[in-house]
Amino acid sequence: MALIGVALFFFTRELGTFPAAWADDSLFMIVARSIADGKGYTLPILDRPWSYPYILGVGPTLLLPVALAIKLFGFSVAIARLPMLDFLCATAFCMYIFTNHIAGRNAARWTSALLISLSAFVNTGKPVLGEVPGFFFLLLGLLTLQWKPRGSLWGSLAGICFGLAVLTKITYGLVFPAIGVAWVASALRRDWKSSFHLTIVGMFAVTIYLPWRLLELLSQPGLLRDFLFLWGGNENHTAVPFSFLLSHPTTLFRLPFLVFGLFFLLGSIGFWRLRPRLSFSLQIFLPTLAALFVLYFGSSFLWYRHLLPAHLLLLPFVTMGMQVILKRPFTEIALITIVALQGIWQLDHRGASYNAEAMNVATTIVQDFSEKPLIIQQAEIFARLPENTQWFFLTNPLITQRLPAPLGILSPAQRCLPILRKLNGKDLREFGERAQKIEGRYFVVSPPSSCPLPPA
């Protein structure tokens, strides 16, 4: 009961304001609101709606529940995040069940405490993002593989769960090579029943996910380029793996990554000790998948969101790893200390943005620009605004570079409209007096002098 109480406190606390809605979270809310308003599964880019946009990297398992909440209760950031509370609670429950099955009730309790006090889990799970919902479906698949490691019916159920994980968040596509590695390991042991079972798992996972990806592919060209961006930032980074990590090595010395190193050590020790209790498929699948997420994190942008699934996969084994290293009561003291420090970190609003700039800017836009045409190039602003035919949405400059033509290309008339966007020092020097500050880093950039003056 104490764990449930603490979990509900952290999950519901400041739901609409912390973490502050940001680029990805808001982009997904824009699409969900479009669905709720009856405009279809579309992302409005200027005056061109993009149906089934692959650039989101998430699927209907995330956006449809959010759209339903908006349809039922109206739009606000807090309302859009209500379904995320369900995913957080369901993930915590499944984590308890999985850990209890392989390590016992005491370990399950400690794992739950480590999970609900983890800022990265809660503050990634509350926004409209795909990592935690995808992990929920992944956990369901792991439970199925552990509970019934063989059999066509259970293999199909596990495959459906893994397919839903990938459908929810594209980065969970790493389950496919992990299944492949487990299949090869079973074949080398001549364990044909396990190999057949894993074949069923893989086939159903692909069957669930592939039709949606094909639908996105048919909407607009450019899918391969988007995959390269997700893996390494751009084609050059992809050609040289870990180039971003090599150019930013000091990032790994930030506290969250150092903590992950500790959990990686403890989780690895605990996994080695508990591996006889796991089905053979999971003995191969789990470490392979965790390693793939670490490799993906290192080869991409060094975002902790990319590392979070590996962190969560290790949690069920951390208590055992601690027990191997320390004796009682030092194990309990160490775990209590970690949980307490994680809880204090989260209570102090660390690990995520608490900035109200975007909310204040949206209020200013409603007050001062309701009768003026404006291109809004920040999703976290546009998501908060009421519908207005004078306002056009355009993704931020980084995402706009990835949009397929003609999306994102301003018409001659649109080039002469003011644009709301974030500006850095270099941008401010470029735009000079054309940049009108709204608040913080947000500015309205007036059209260039070559544009005709608007009518008085």
Side-chain angles (χ1 to χ4, degrees), residues 423-433 435:
L423 298 182
N424 55 32
K426 180 180 177 182
D427 296 328
L428 287 173
R429 290 191 293 271
E430 176 185 349
F431 294 119
E433 295 182 355

Side-chain angles (χ1 to χ4, degrees), residues 81-254:
R81 290 178 173 181
L82 284 178
M84 308 308 296
L85 299 182
D86 297 329
F87 281 118
L88 279 167
C89 293
T91 304
F93 177 75
C94 287
M95 181 70 85
Y96 181 93
I97 297 298
F98 180 73
T99 308
N100 183 51
H101 195 273
I102 63 174
R105 187 170 61 178
N106 184 56
R109 288 172 173 171
W110 282 116
T111 298
S112 297
L114 292 169
L115 181 71
I116 63 178
S117 63
L118 178 62
S119 172
F121 171 68
V122 176
N123 293 333
T124 303
K126 285 166 67 177
V128 182
L129 298 172
E131 279 76 11
V132 170
F135 192 79
F136 162 68
F137 290 114
L138 177 67
L139 265 179
L140 289 180
L142 296 179
L143 279 166
T144 305
L145 284 181
Q146 175 62 20
W147 186 35
K148 295 289 185 180
R150 297 184 181 184
S152 300
L153 174 62
W154 300 105
S156 62
L157 289 175
I160 289 171
C161 293
F162 290 149
L164 290 174
V166 185
L167 185 63
T168 305
K169 181 66 180 179
I170 184 61
T171 51
Y172 284 95
L174 294 173
V175 301
F176 294 126
I179 292 171
V181 171
W183 186 92
V184 170
S186 296
L188 291 175
R189 296 178 72 211
R190 298 186 179 182
D191 185 353
W192 305 121
K193 288 185 177 180
S194 293
S195 295
F196 176 75
H197 178 68
L198 289 168
T199 301
I200 297 295
V201 172
M203 288 176 57
F204 270 84
V206 172
T207 301
I208 290 294
Y209 167 71
L210 188 59
W212 182 260
R213 180 52 71 175
L214 292 175
L215 182 63
E216 291 180 325
L217 178 62
L218 293 173
S219 69
Q220 289 287 345
L223 183 60
L224 176 59
R225 182 183 176 190
D226 202 58
F227 271 128
L228 295 177
F229 175 84
L230 290 172
W231 183 255
N234 57 43
E235 292 84 346
N236 294 331
H237 285 165
T238 305
V240 184
F242 306 108
S243 60
F244 198 91
L245 174 60
L246 294 174
S247 61
H248 301 79
T250 56
T251 303
L252 297 181
F253 292 99
R254 289 170 50 199

Side-chain angles (χ1 to χ4, degrees), residues 355-435:
N355 197 317
E357 275 182 4
M359 188 165 50
N360 296 335
V361 170
T363 302
T364 301
I365 296 300
V366 171
Q367 292 174 349
D368 300 343
F369 290 85
S370 292
E371 304 298 327
K372 302 175 184 178
L374 184 66
I375 294 175
I376 299 164
Q377 203 169 3
Q378 301 294 152
E380 64 274 20
I381 305 298
F382 189 81
R384 290 182 163 95
L385 297 176
E387 187 172 358
N388 188 323
T389 55
Q390 297 272 58
W391 297 332
F392 302 92
F393 174 66
L394 181 63
T395 50
N396 65 47
L398 178 63
I399 297 179
T400 300
Q401 294 174 6
R402 298 160 50 201
L403 295 178
L407 297 172
I409 299 177
L410 298 173
S411 67
Q414 290 167 344
R415 291 194 187 98
C416 291
L417 294 180
I419 298 177
L420 171 72
R421 54 175 285 195
K422 278 183 183 179
L423 298 182
N424 55 32
K426 180 180 177 182
D427 296 328
L428 287 173
R429 290 191 293 271
E430 176 185 349
F431 294 119
E433 295 182 355
R434 291 171 53 200

